[in-house]
Amino acid sequence: MRSAIHHQKAKKRGLWKKLVLFIMIIGVIIAVIGVVAFKLMVARQDVSLLEEPLPAATIIYDQNKEEALRISPKKAEAVSYDSLPEELIEAVVAVEDKRFFEHKGTDLQGIGRAMVTNLTNGKTVQGASTITQQLAKNVFLSQERTWTRKWKELLLAEKIEKNYDKQQILTFYLNQIYFGEGAWGIKKASELYFGVPVNELSLSQSALLAGIIKAPSALSPYSHPEEAKARRNVVLKLMKDQGKIDQAAYEASVKEPLHIQSSKPSSSDAIKYPYFIDQVIREASQKYGLTENEVLHGGFRIYTTMDTKMQEAAEDVYSQDSLFPASSSDQLIQSGAVLVDPKDGGIRALIGGRGEQPFRGFNRAVQLKRQPGSTMKPISVYTPALERGYTPDSTLMDEPVNFGGYQPKNAGGSYHGEVSIYEALIHSYNVPAVSLLNEMGIDAGMEAAKRFGIELTDTDRTLGLALGGLQEGVSPLAMAEAFGVFANDGTRIPAHSISRIDSADGETIAEFDSNVSVKVTEPAVARTMTAMLEGVVKEGTGDAASLGDRPVAGKTGTTEMPGTGGEGMKDNWFVGYTPQLVGAVWLGYDHTDTSHYLTTTSKAAAAVFQKLMSEALQDEPVMAFANMPAIAKKPKDTGKAKEEKEEKKDKDKDKPKHEKPGKDKHKEDKKKGPGEEHRGKGKKDKNDDD
């Protein structure tokens, strides 16, 4: 019996051994087949294009899906490995791929390290692509982030490593990478930034160029010197930590100035629609995670919201100096403007500045942060007022007030007694707007601004919010998106320049979600605001924005320059719209001081808006605003009527003012006292309109 049991166990062990052996043999066969197949696939890769590296073109399409332009850089001038300074080689390797001279194209240690770092941080904070992989991607592949592309990248990297030595690979890489400011390749970058041949680059200069590779425009020493210097110092520290340089060399180099040329050499590599393309690159990075180098190197098909006719019209308008106020001799009055379709949020045209501007320089249409002045009144005061039961006919008092030390004044210093909300808005009286916000409570204005997409901070929680006294300010793009709410029956659609991004193979890798929208207010409120804002243009401060028979609504805005006795302005704004297009225009000096300020009213911005919209809408149908409520226009007081009004005013002097709907709801806010709620004065008091 025992013998039989022992025999059965021995038999089972024998079967298990055979099974394990069989599995091992199958595994070895599969591994061998895999290695052979991988080698065959690697062998099939053609990397001869490395001899003449030319990045693939990125194709930009307009809103009609017609090709607008190709971003295809000229062939970079090549240099040999012998002309690359040792400091440059070590700087690039230190920051881009520290195991470059050790791995065989793919760095498994780097991949493992990146995975651990990313898992620890809960997001992707570190990449694992080697210089060889980056070279393969830049020269041979589109930039979509898929497993298929990564697999192709791996095969190509292996083939590159088999066909070329490390020195050749690094030379190929540095000869075709983008260094910003139109500089493709290390030779052009060395000349553009430092005016020297590559072999004369110093340690500090080499570290600066190595640091630029990560984000060429954001780290350009011409446009962003502080960021470029900080990035250079990061590279120098990596070199020190990796034993490439000693402590003395590190300390000496981080103290050096940038040593860039005093002015950037002019470039003939002008790109079409530069400001719009700048926004496309920025949006591709911020929303879809693509780098500038990835977009510029190409392989993409980017479908945008641009209307080429409107963009060309806008560029033509901004080339006409006669449309803008006269500038000082040493600084040009700048401007930024944007045109947006309120129905879908598509940016139709965008201008980020006047005069000669570098590609991917400062884009005032989207990067500007300036106080919006009275263009905030419809957003932070009058919309929440209408939502609380006020009407255009509701009356307010325009008279001297003091809210705990804050004493807003009207432009010119005059007061107008009892006025309707409609009158206060179209003539941009400041005191009634501040009084109304105080009546409703500052939180009402803060909450409304948030709904309109205006980013605020706790420091903005003051009565100065009524007059656009924001701590950080806004961009023309933000204001255009906000005013699009009125043109779109109370619904806000995020402004965007990209509809879709496809790879070269036709695979969609990013797409705007057309279902994203935010209900800001009721259609009836939006239409009432439109009726009032149309009055701003017809009979108020915005008359210079009139488009003749074409209906247009909008709001003027100015911010006062302190120390000029009310005669100087820092900013001019006009934000307005027709049923099919919203436009926002800002005017001002980049650097405002006692010698550089505007002496014009907001009519200057309104005049630019008028020309911009006229040209943009030239071939578009004239449309009427839908279902707007009628607003009773109060006749001017004359004779007996005026006397009766004055008599009534005297009788009402001792009566409580601003007995409007919603007062009880905000008693708690009022108990705090306006002095507690309005903490700041100074510049927040200086946002007076015409």
Side-chain angles (χ1 to χ4, degrees), residues 435-469:
S435 298
L436 183 53
L437 180 60
N438 182 66
E439 185 73 27
M440 295 185 295
I442 296 174
D443 284 343
M446 294 284 287
E447 189 272 335
K450 182 179 179 180
R451 280 185 278 138
F452 277 88
I454 304 298
E455 295 183 4
L456 301 178
T457 66
D458 288 340
T459 57
D460 295 319
R461 194 180 181 279
T462 72
L463 289 176
L465 174 65
L467 309 182

PDB file of all heavy atoms in Angstrom, residues 435-469:
ATOM      1  N   SER A 435     -22.245 102.357  -4.945  1.00  0.00           N
ATOM      2  CA  SER A 435     -23.336 102.344  -3.964  1.00  0.00           C
ATOM      3  C   SER A 435     -24.211 101.110  -4.127  1.00  0.00           C
ATOM      4  O   SER A 435     -24.643 100.498  -3.144  1.00  0.00           O
ATOM      5  CB  SER A 435     -24.186 103.611  -4.109  1.00  0.00           C
ATOM      6  OG  SER A 435     -23.422 104.768  -3.847  1.00  0.00           O
ATOM      7  N   LEU A 436     -24.468 100.735  -5.368  1.00  0.00           N
ATOM      8  CA  LEU A 436     -25.310  99.573  -5.620  1.00  0.00           C
ATOM      9  C   LEU A 436     -24.614  98.286  -5.173  1.00  0.00           C
ATOM     10  O   LEU A 436     -25.239  97.401  -4.585  1.00  0.00           O
ATOM     11  CB  LEU A 436     -25.662  99.503  -7.108  1.00  0.00           C
ATOM     12  CG  LEU A 436     -26.598  98.374  -7.549  1.00  0.00           C
ATOM     13  CD1 LEU A 436     -27.884  98.356  -6.722  1.00  0.00           C
ATOM     14  CD2 LEU A 436     -26.921  98.506  -9.037  1.00  0.00           C
ATOM     15  N   LEU A 437     -23.319  98.174  -5.423  1.00  0.00           N
ATOM     16  CA  LEU A 437     -22.590  96.998  -4.956  1.00  0.00           C
ATOM     17  C   LEU A 437     -22.593  96.946  -3.434  1.00  0.00           C
ATOM     18  O   LEU A 437     -22.756  95.874  -2.833  1.00  0.00           O
ATOM     19  CB  LEU A 437     -21.151  97.016  -5.478  1.00  0.00           C
ATOM     20  CG  LEU A 437     -20.288  95.817  -5.049  1.00  0.00           C
ATOM     21  CD1 LEU A 437     -20.888  94.501  -5.547  1.00  0.00           C
ATOM     22  CD2 LEU A 437     -18.859  95.970  -5.551  1.00  0.00           C
ATOM     23  N   ASN A 438     -22.441  98.090  -2.788  1.00  0.00           N
ATOM     24  CA  ASN A 438     -22.494  98.141  -1.329  1.00  0.00           C
ATOM     25  C   ASN A 438     -23.869  97.705  -0.828  1.00  0.00           C
ATOM     26  O   ASN A 438     -23.987  97.009   0.178  1.00  0.00           O
ATOM     27  CB  ASN A 438     -22.179  99.550  -0.848  1.00  0.00           C
ATOM     28  CG  ASN A 438     -22.174  99.652   0.667  1.00  0.00           C
ATOM     29  OD1 ASN A 438     -21.334  99.069   1.335  1.00  0.00           O
ATOM     30  ND2 ASN A 438     -23.141 100.388   1.217  1.00  0.00           N
ATOM     31  N   GLU A 439     -24.905  98.114  -1.552  1.00  0.00           N
ATOM     32  CA  GLU A 439     -26.275  97.755  -1.178  1.00  0.00           C
ATOM     33  C   GLU A 439     -26.495  96.242  -1.272  1.00  0.00           C
ATOM     34  O   GLU A 439     -27.099  95.626  -0.396  1.00  0.00           O
ATOM     35  CB  GLU A 439     -27.266  98.481  -2.093  1.00  0.00           C
ATOM     36  CG  GLU A 439     -28.731  98.291  -1.733  1.00  0.00           C
ATOM     37  CD  GLU A 439     -29.136  99.056  -0.489  1.00  0.00           C
ATOM     38  OE1 GLU A 439     -28.520 100.091  -0.188  1.00  0.00           O
ATOM     39  OE2 GLU A 439     -30.071  98.603   0.195  1.00  0.00           O
ATOM     40  N   MET A 440     -25.988  95.631  -2.339  1.00  0.00           N
ATOM     41  CA  MET A 440     -26.188  94.194  -2.546  1.00  0.00           C
ATOM     42  C   MET A 440     -25.247  93.353  -1.683  1.00  0.00           C
ATOM     43  O   MET A 440     -25.566  92.221  -1.323  1.00  0.00           O
ATOM     44  CB  MET A 440     -25.952  93.838  -4.017  1.00  0.00           C
ATOM     45  CG  MET A 440     -26.943  94.453  -4.983  1.00  0.00           C
ATOM     46  SD  MET A 440     -26.677  93.849  -6.681  1.00  0.00           S
ATOM     47  CE  MET A 440     -25.046  94.506  -7.049  1.00  0.00           C
ATOM     48  N   GLY A 441     -24.084  93.901  -1.383  1.00  0.00           N
ATOM     49  CA  GLY A 441     -23.057  93.141  -0.678  1.00  0.00           C
ATOM     50  C   GLY A 441     -21.955  92.741  -1.649  1.00  0.00           C
ATOM     51  O   GLY A 441     -22.225  92.329  -2.783  1.00  0.00           O
ATOM     52  N   ILE A 442     -20.726  92.886  -1.231  1.00  0.00           N
ATOM     53  CA  ILE A 442     -19.593  92.629  -2.121  1.00  0.00           C
ATOM     54  C   ILE A 442     -19.584  91.188  -2.609  1.00  0.00           C
ATOM     55  O   ILE A 442     -19.170  90.908  -3.740  1.00  0.00           O
ATOM     56  CB  ILE A 442     -18.264  92.975  -1.413  1.00  0.00           C
ATOM     57  CG1 ILE A 442     -18.217  94.472  -1.111  1.00  0.00           C
ATOM     58  CG2 ILE A 442     -17.069  92.577  -2.259  1.00  0.00           C
ATOM     59  CD1 ILE A 442     -17.030  94.904  -0.284  1.00  0.00           C
ATOM     60  N   ASP A 443     -20.062  90.270  -1.785  1.00  0.00           N
ATOM     61  CA  ASP A 443     -20.073  88.874  -2.207  1.00  0.00           C
ATOM     62  C   ASP A 443     -20.888  88.665  -3.480  1.00  0.00           C
ATOM     63  O   ASP A 443     -20.598  87.761  -4.274  1.00  0.00           O
ATOM     64  CB  ASP A 443     -20.627  87.983  -1.097  1.00  0.00           C
ATOM     65  CG  ASP A 443     -19.606  87.762   0.012  1.00  0.00           C
ATOM     66  OD1 ASP A 443     -18.410  88.026  -0.238  1.00  0.00           O
ATOM     67  OD2 ASP A 443     -19.998  87.342   1.112  1.00  0.00           O
ATOM     68  N   ALA A 444     -21.915  89.479  -3.681  1.00  0.00           N
ATOM     69  CA  ALA A 444     -22.727  89.370  -4.896  1.00  0.00           C
ATOM     70  C   ALA A 444     -21.872  89.641  -6.125  1.00  0.00           C
ATOM     71  O   ALA A 444     -21.967  88.942  -7.143  1.00  0.00           O
ATOM     72  CB  ALA A 444     -23.903  90.344  -4.833  1.00  0.00           C
ATOM     73  N   GLY A 445     -21.033  90.661  -6.047  1.00  0.00           N
ATOM     74  CA  GLY A 445     -20.155  90.985  -7.161  1.00  0.00           C
ATOM     75  C   GLY A 445     -19.068  89.946  -7.358  1.00  0.00           C
ATOM     76  O   GLY A 445     -18.717  89.595  -8.497  1.00  0.00           O
ATOM     77  N   MET A 446     -18.500  89.445  -6.264  1.00  0.00           N
ATOM     78  CA  MET A 446     -17.458  88.429  -6.350  1.00  0.00           C
ATOM     79  C   MET A 446     -17.996  87.149  -6.998  1.00  0.00           C
ATOM     80  O   MET A 446     -17.359  86.566  -7.883  1.00  0.00           O
ATOM     81  CB  MET A 446     -16.931  88.105  -4.954  1.00  0.00           C
ATOM     82  CG  MET A 446     -16.190  89.227  -4.262  1.00  0.00           C
ATOM     83  SD  MET A 446     -14.522  89.482  -4.896  1.00  0.00           S
ATOM     84  CE  MET A 446     -13.673  88.043  -4.226  1.00  0.00           C
ATOM     85  N   GLU A 447     -19.167  86.739  -6.567  1.00  0.00           N
ATOM     86  CA  GLU A 447     -19.763  85.508  -7.081  1.00  0.00           C
ATOM     87  C   GLU A 447     -20.122  85.652  -8.558  1.00  0.00           C
ATOM     88  O   GLU A 447     -19.925  84.723  -9.357  1.00  0.00           O
ATOM     89  CB  GLU A 447     -21.003  85.168  -6.241  1.00  0.00           C
ATOM     90  CG  GLU A 447     -21.603  83.798  -6.514  1.00  0.00           C
ATOM     91  CD  GLU A 447     -22.628  83.826  -7.644  1.00  0.00           C
ATOM     92  OE1 GLU A 447     -23.208  84.909  -7.891  1.00  0.00           O
ATOM     93  OE2 GLU A 447     -22.836  82.773  -8.276  1.00  0.00           O
ATOM     94  N   ALA A 448     -20.624  86.816  -8.940  1.00  0.00           N
ATOM     95  CA  ALA A 448     -20.970  87.041 -10.343  1.00  0.00           C
ATOM     96  C   ALA A 448     -19.730  87.006 -11.224  1.00  0.00           C
ATOM     97  O   ALA A 448     -19.719  86.387 -12.288  1.00  0.00           O
ATOM     98  CB  ALA A 448     -21.699  88.374 -10.497  1.00  0.00           C
ATOM     99  N   ALA A 449     -18.668  87.674 -10.796  1.00  0.00           N
ATOM    100  CA  ALA A 449     -17.429  87.699 -11.576  1.00  0.00           C
ATOM    101  C   ALA A 449     -16.901  86.283 -11.789  1.00  0.00           C
ATOM    102  O   ALA A 449     -16.418  85.944 -12.883  1.00  0.00           O
ATOM    103  CB  ALA A 449     -16.383  88.557 -10.878  1.00  0.00           C
ATOM    104  N   LYS A 450     -16.993  85.459 -10.769  1.00  0.00           N
ATOM    105  CA  LYS A 450     -16.536  84.071 -10.885  1.00  0.00           C
ATOM    106  C   LYS A 450     -17.335  83.325 -11.940  1.00  0.00           C
ATOM    107  O   LYS A 450     -16.782  82.573 -12.747  1.00  0.00           O
ATOM    108  CB  LYS A 450     -16.661  83.371  -9.527  1.00  0.00           C
ATOM    109  CG  LYS A 450     -16.161  81.931  -9.533  1.00  0.00           C
ATOM    110  CD  LYS A 450     -16.279  81.307  -8.148  1.00  0.00           C
ATOM    111  CE  LYS A 450     -15.790  79.859  -8.158  1.00  0.00           C
ATOM    112  NZ  LYS A 450     -15.909  79.240  -6.817  1.00  0.00           N
ATOM    113  N   ARG A 451     -18.644  83.538 -11.967  1.00  0.00           N
ATOM    114  CA  ARG A 451     -19.488  82.879 -12.970  1.00  0.00           C
ATOM    115  C   ARG A 451     -19.096  83.300 -14.382  1.00  0.00           C
ATOM    116  O   ARG A 451     -19.168  82.529 -15.333  1.00  0.00           O
ATOM    117  CB  ARG A 451     -20.958  83.212 -12.725  1.00  0.00           C
ATOM    118  CG  ARG A 451     -21.619  82.396 -11.630  1.00  0.00           C
ATOM    119  CD  ARG A 451     -23.097  82.698 -11.547  1.00  0.00           C
ATOM    120  NE  ARG A 451     -23.383  83.896 -10.778  1.00  0.00           N
ATOM    121  CZ  ARG A 451     -24.272  84.828 -11.105  1.00  0.00           C
ATOM    122  NH1 ARG A 451     -24.945  84.733 -12.235  1.00  0.00           N
ATOM    123  NH2 ARG A 451     -24.483  85.874 -10.328  1.00  0.00           N
ATOM    124  N   PHE A 452     -18.701  84.565 -14.539  1.00  0.00           N
ATOM    125  CA  PHE A 452     -18.309  85.082 -15.847  1.00  0.00           C
ATOM    126  C   PHE A 452     -16.904  84.635 -16.250  1.00  0.00           C
ATOM    127  O   PHE A 452     -16.439  84.979 -17.328  1.00  0.00           O
ATOM    128  CB  PHE A 452     -18.387  86.609 -15.851  1.00  0.00           C
ATOM    129  CG  PHE A 452     -19.768  87.151 -16.108  1.00  0.00           C
ATOM    130  CD1 PHE A 452     -20.660  87.364 -15.069  1.00  0.00           C
ATOM    131  CD2 PHE A 452     -20.179  87.448 -17.399  1.00  0.00           C
ATOM    132  CE1 PHE A 452     -21.930  87.872 -15.297  1.00  0.00           C
ATOM    133  CE2 PHE A 452     -21.447  87.952 -17.648  1.00  0.00           C
ATOM    134  CZ  PHE A 452     -22.338  88.169 -16.593  1.00  0.00           C
ATOM    135  N   GLY A 453     -16.232  83.901 -15.377  1.00  0.00           N
ATOM    136  CA  GLY A 453     -14.909  83.397 -15.706  1.00  0.00           C
ATOM    137  C   GLY A 453     -13.777  84.326 -15.341  1.00  0.00           C
ATOM    138  O   GLY A 453     -12.628  84.090 -15.726  1.00  0.00           O
ATOM    139  N   ILE A 454     -14.056  85.393 -14.589  1.00  0.00           N
ATOM    140  CA  ILE A 454     -13.025  86.335 -14.170  1.00  0.00           C
ATOM    141  C   ILE A 454     -12.381  85.813 -12.891  1.00  0.00           C
ATOM    142  O   ILE A 454     -13.067  85.613 -11.881  1.00  0.00           O
ATOM    143  CB  ILE A 454     -13.606  87.744 -13.930  1.00  0.00           C
ATOM    144  CG1 ILE A 454     -14.332  88.246 -15.184  1.00  0.00           C
ATOM    145  CG2 ILE A 454     -12.497  88.706 -13.519  1.00  0.00           C
ATOM    146  CD1 ILE A 454     -13.448  88.404 -16.393  1.00  0.00           C
ATOM    147  N   GLU A 455     -11.080  85.589 -12.929  1.00  0.00           N
ATOM    148  CA  GLU A 455     -10.371  85.056 -11.769  1.00  0.00           C
ATOM    149  C   GLU A 455     -10.076  86.173 -10.770  1.00  0.00           C
ATOM    150  O   GLU A 455      -9.442  87.164 -11.109  1.00  0.00           O
ATOM    151  CB  GLU A 455      -9.069  84.387 -12.204  1.00  0.00           C
ATOM    152  CG  GLU A 455      -9.277  83.155 -13.078  1.00  0.00           C
ATOM    153  CD  GLU A 455      -7.969  82.484 -13.437  1.00  0.00           C
ATOM    154  OE1 GLU A 455      -6.921  82.940 -12.942  1.00  0.00           O
ATOM    155  OE2 GLU A 455      -7.994  81.510 -14.209  1.00  0.00           O
ATOM    156  N   LEU A 456     -10.551  86.005  -9.550  1.00  0.00           N
ATOM    157  CA  LEU A 456     -10.350  86.996  -8.497  1.00  0.00           C
ATOM    158  C   LEU A 456      -9.585  86.377  -7.331  1.00  0.00           C
ATOM    159  O   LEU A 456      -9.482  85.156  -7.214  1.00  0.00           O
ATOM    160  CB  LEU A 456     -11.700  87.532  -8.001  1.00  0.00           C
ATOM    161  CG  LEU A 456     -12.610  88.201  -9.038  1.00  0.00           C
ATOM    162  CD1 LEU A 456     -13.924  88.624  -8.388  1.00  0.00           C
ATOM    163  CD2 LEU A 456     -11.927  89.397  -9.680  1.00  0.00           C
ATOM    164  N   THR A 457      -9.069  87.232  -6.477  1.00  0.00           N
ATOM    165  CA  THR A 457      -8.401  86.793  -5.250  1.00  0.00           C
ATOM    166  C   THR A 457      -9.110  87.434  -4.065  1.00  0.00           C
ATOM    167  O   THR A 457      -9.973  88.306  -4.231  1.00  0.00           O
ATOM    168  CB  THR A 457      -6.917  87.215  -5.255  1.00  0.00           C
ATOM    169  OG1 THR A 457      -6.842  88.647  -5.197  1.00  0.00           O
ATOM    170  CG2 THR A 457      -6.212  86.724  -6.514  1.00  0.00           C
ATOM    171  N   ASP A 458      -8.754  87.031  -2.870  1.00  0.00           N
ATOM    172  CA  ASP A 458      -9.369  87.603  -1.673  1.00  0.00           C
ATOM    173  C   ASP A 458      -9.126  89.103  -1.568  1.00  0.00           C
ATOM    174  O   ASP A 458      -9.926  89.831  -0.984  1.00  0.00           O
ATOM    175  CB  ASP A 458      -8.828  86.905  -0.415  1.00  0.00           C
ATOM    176  CG  ASP A 458      -9.358  85.486  -0.272  1.00  0.00           C
ATOM    177  OD1 ASP A 458     -10.393  85.175  -0.899  1.00  0.00           O
ATOM    178  OD2 ASP A 458      -8.734  84.687   0.451  1.00  0.00           O
ATOM    179  N   THR A 459      -8.007  89.549  -2.132  1.00  0.00           N
ATOM    180  CA  THR A 459      -7.707  90.988  -2.077  1.00  0.00           C
ATOM    181  C   THR A 459      -8.652  91.800  -2.950  1.00  0.00           C
ATOM    182  O   THR A 459      -8.705  93.029  -2.833  1.00  0.00           O
ATOM    183  CB  THR A 459      -6.261  91.258  -2.517  1.00  0.00           C
ATOM    184  OG1 THR A 459      -6.063  90.726  -3.834  1.00  0.00           O
ATOM    185  CG2 THR A 459      -5.269  90.601  -1.570  1.00  0.00           C
ATOM    186  N   ASP A 460      -9.405  91.148  -3.833  1.00  0.00           N
ATOM    187  CA  ASP A 460     -10.367  91.858  -4.682  1.00  0.00           C
ATOM    188  C   ASP A 460     -11.702  92.082  -3.974  1.00  0.00           C
ATOM    189  O   ASP A 460     -12.596  92.725  -4.536  1.00  0.00           O
ATOM    190  CB  ASP A 460     -10.609  91.072  -5.980  1.00  0.00           C
ATOM    191  CG  ASP A 460      -9.368  90.997  -6.841  1.00  0.00           C
ATOM    192  OD1 ASP A 460      -8.663  92.014  -6.944  1.00  0.00           O
ATOM    193  OD2 ASP A 460      -9.098  89.924  -7.407  1.00  0.00           O
ATOM    194  N   ARG A 461     -11.836  91.567  -2.760  1.00  0.00           N
ATOM    195  CA  ARG A 461     -13.111  91.699  -2.043  1.00  0.00           C
ATOM    196  C   ARG A 461     -13.207  93.092  -1.408  1.00  0.00           C
ATOM    197  O   ARG A 461     -13.150  93.265  -0.197  1.00  0.00           O
ATOM    198  CB  ARG A 461     -13.242  90.610  -0.975  1.00  0.00           C
ATOM    199  CG  ARG A 461     -14.670  90.475  -0.433  1.00  0.00           C
ATOM    200  CD  ARG A 461     -14.768  89.385   0.637  1.00  0.00           C
ATOM    201  NE  ARG A 461     -16.126  89.264   1.107  1.00  0.00           N
ATOM    202  CZ  ARG A 461     -16.687  90.063   2.013  1.00  0.00           C
ATOM    203  NH1 ARG A 461     -15.965  91.031   2.559  1.00  0.00           N
ATOM    204  NH2 ARG A 461     -17.946  89.899   2.378  1.00  0.00           N
ATOM    205  N   THR A 462     -13.360  94.083  -2.282  1.00  0.00           N
ATOM    206  CA  THR A 462     -13.510  95.473  -1.868  1.00  0.00           C
ATOM    207  C   THR A 462     -14.565  96.121  -2.742  1.00  0.00           C
ATOM    208  O   THR A 462     -14.928  95.598  -3.804  1.00  0.00           O
ATOM    209  CB  THR A 462     -12.189  96.259  -2.036  1.00  0.00           C
ATOM    210  OG1 THR A 462     -11.956  96.470  -3.435  1.00  0.00           O
ATOM    211  CG2 THR A 462     -11.011  95.512  -1.418  1.00  0.00           C
ATOM    212  N   LEU A 463     -15.036  97.274  -2.334  1.00  0.00           N
ATOM    213  CA  LEU A 463     -16.009  97.996  -3.152  1.00  0.00           C
ATOM    214  C   LEU A 463     -15.397  98.477  -4.459  1.00  0.00           C
ATOM    215  O   LEU A 463     -16.111  98.783  -5.411  1.00  0.00           O
ATOM    216  CB  LEU A 463     -16.576  99.189  -2.365  1.00  0.00           C
ATOM    217  CG  LEU A 463     -17.522  98.820  -1.217  1.00  0.00           C
ATOM    218  CD1 LEU A 463     -17.940 100.061  -0.443  1.00  0.00           C
ATOM    219  CD2 LEU A 463     -18.750  98.084  -1.750  1.00  0.00           C
ATOM    220  N   GLY A 464     -14.064  98.542  -4.536  1.00  0.00           N
ATOM    221  CA  GLY A 464     -13.397  98.903  -5.782  1.00  0.00           C
ATOM    222  C   GLY A 464     -13.665  97.905  -6.897  1.00  0.00           C
ATOM    223  O   GLY A 464     -13.428  98.204  -8.074  1.00  0.00           O
ATOM    224  N   LEU A 465     -14.169  96.712  -6.560  1.00  0.00           N
ATOM    225  CA  LEU A 465     -14.544  95.720  -7.557  1.00  0.00           C
ATOM    226  C   LEU A 465     -15.559  96.291  -8.543  1.00  0.00           C
ATOM    227  O   LEU A 465     -15.544  95.945  -9.729  1.00  0.00           O
ATOM    228  CB  LEU A 465     -15.129  94.489  -6.853  1.00  0.00           C
ATOM    229  CG  LEU A 465     -15.714  93.382  -7.738  1.00  0.00           C
ATOM    230  CD1 LEU A 465     -14.618  92.746  -8.590  1.00  0.00           C
ATOM    231  CD2 LEU A 465     -16.385  92.317  -6.866  1.00  0.00           C
ATOM    232  N   ALA A 466     -16.415  97.174  -8.073  1.00  0.00           N
ATOM    233  CA  ALA A 466     -17.437  97.777  -8.941  1.00  0.00           C
ATOM    234  C   ALA A 466     -16.818  98.539 -10.092  1.00  0.00           C
ATOM    235  O   ALA A 466     -17.407  98.645 -11.177  1.00  0.00           O
ATOM    236  CB  ALA A 466     -18.342  98.701  -8.124  1.00  0.00           C
ATOM    237  N   LEU A 467     -15.625  99.088  -9.885  1.00  0.00           N
ATOM    238  CA  LEU A 467     -14.962  99.911 -10.896  1.00  0.00           C
ATOM    239  C   LEU A 467     -13.789  99.183 -11.548  1.00  0.00           C
ATOM    240  O   LEU A 467     -12.939  99.809 -12.185  1.00  0.00           O
ATOM    241  CB  LEU A 467     -14.472 101.219 -10.262  1.00  0.00           C
ATOM    242  CG  LEU A 467     -15.516 102.009  -9.464  1.00  0.00           C
ATOM    243  CD1 LEU A 467     -14.907 103.289  -8.940  1.00  0.00           C
ATOM    244  CD2 LEU A 467     -16.746 102.289 -10.321  1.00  0.00           C
ATOM    245  N   GLY A 468     -13.733  97.862 -11.380  1.00  0.00           N
ATOM    246  CA  GLY A 468     -12.667  97.100 -12.017  1.00  0.00           C
ATOM    247  C   GLY A 468     -11.343  97.191 -11.306  1.00  0.00           C
ATOM    248  O   GLY A 468     -10.294  96.955 -11.916  1.00  0.00           O
ATOM    249  N   GLY A 469     -11.352  97.527 -10.015  1.00  0.00           N
ATOM    250  CA  GLY A 469     -10.103  97.648  -9.265  1.00  0.00           C
ATOM    251  C   GLY A 469      -9.592  96.297  -8.820  1.00  0.00           C
ATOM    252  O   GLY A 469      -9.625  95.966  -7.641  1.00  0.00           O
TER     253      GLY A 469
END
